[in-house]
Amino acid sequence: MALPDDLRELYQQVILDHSRSPRNQGQLSADSCVHIHSDNPSCGDEIDLYICFNDDGSICDIKFEGQGCAISQASTSMMTEKVKGISREELTQLIQDLQQTVLGQGEIRNPEALGELQLFESVQKFPQRIKCALLGWRGLESALSKNSLSRS
Ligand code: ZN
């Protein structure tokens, strides 16, 4: 996958902006919320995710607190803006497409849903950064399976 240069530039601005002022910062304290802590000791990144689910398994609200490198924080901030309200199937597909983008493996099924997250393809060239880019997404995956368990 090769992004046109003008898109690449625009997406880079988006990532920079998210790393400087992360969105959806904070905690959710309702009983129904799932809290997941993830860390990446090799870089010093930490993410605390708070996620509230609807009855159908879609995400009703998501917030996070974190510290660490720009890639880990921007990737998580951008994630919180993409995942609210979409169906469980779309969510699973988005996670898979994002992982394949970062790892440079497999076919991206829905690039439109990824949008500016496609720029994380550049992380492929920096293997030590892959964990940073995926940290929040791994936390999201844990939250999804925790939510599935609690509903079954
Ligand atoms: Zn990092």
Side-chain angles (χ1 to χ4, degrees):
M1 181 175 56
L3 289 170
D5 282 345
D6 53 342
L7 258 190
R8 183 175 298 271
E9 220 159 276
L10 175 70
Y11 288 176
Q12 263 158 0
Q13 294 300 322
V14 174
I15 290 180
L16 207 59
D17 180 47
H18 275 267
S19 74
R20 283 178 181 155
S21 44
R23 317 297 200 270
N24 299 305
Q25 290 275 281
Q27 301 184 357
L28 296 168
S29 56
D31 286 347
S32 54
C33 288
V34 175
H35 169 224
I36 299 282
H37 176 83
S38 327
D39 61 6
N40 175 23
S42 60
C43 181
D45 309 321
E46 290 190 53
I47 301 280
D48 281 280
L49 272 182
Y50 300 87
I51 304 179
C52 258
F53 291 94
N54 295 310
D55 289 340
D56 63 4
S58 62
I59 291 174
C60 132
D61 204 1
I62 178 167
K63 287 193 184 296
F64 83 103
E65 290 181 333
Q67 53 184 25
C69 69
I71 290 178
S72 66
Q73 304 305 308
S75 167
T76 306
S77 173
M78 289 161 77
M79 176 182 87
T80 64
E81 290 204 312
K82 293 273 179 198
V83 297
K84 242 181 271 183
I86 65 176
S87 73
R88 193 71 172 214
E89 289 70 31
E90 288 170 314
L91 203 50
T92 308
Q93 187 62 58
L94 182 69
I95 294 171
Q96 196 184 340
D97 279 349
L98 185 277
Q99 287 174 341
Q100 289 180 336
T101 298
V102 171
L103 296 169
Q105 297 167 349
E107 184 198 348
I108 310 301
R109 294 240 217 105
N110 192 349
E112 291 79 19
L114 281 177
E116 64 272 19
L117 286 167
Q118 290 175 85
L119 190 65
F120 284 95
E121 66 173 346
S122 50
V123 175
Q124 290 164 32
K125 293 181 221 113
F126 308 96
Q128 74 277 19
R129 289 297 187 194
I130 288 175
K131 278 188 188 161
C132 305
L134 293 180
L135 186 63
W137 295 83
R138 295 249 149 93
L140 175 62
E141 267 191 321
S142 307
L144 291 182
S145 57
K146 213 169 163 179
N147 177 250
S148 300
L149 285 176
S150 71
R151 283 187 303 135
S152 59

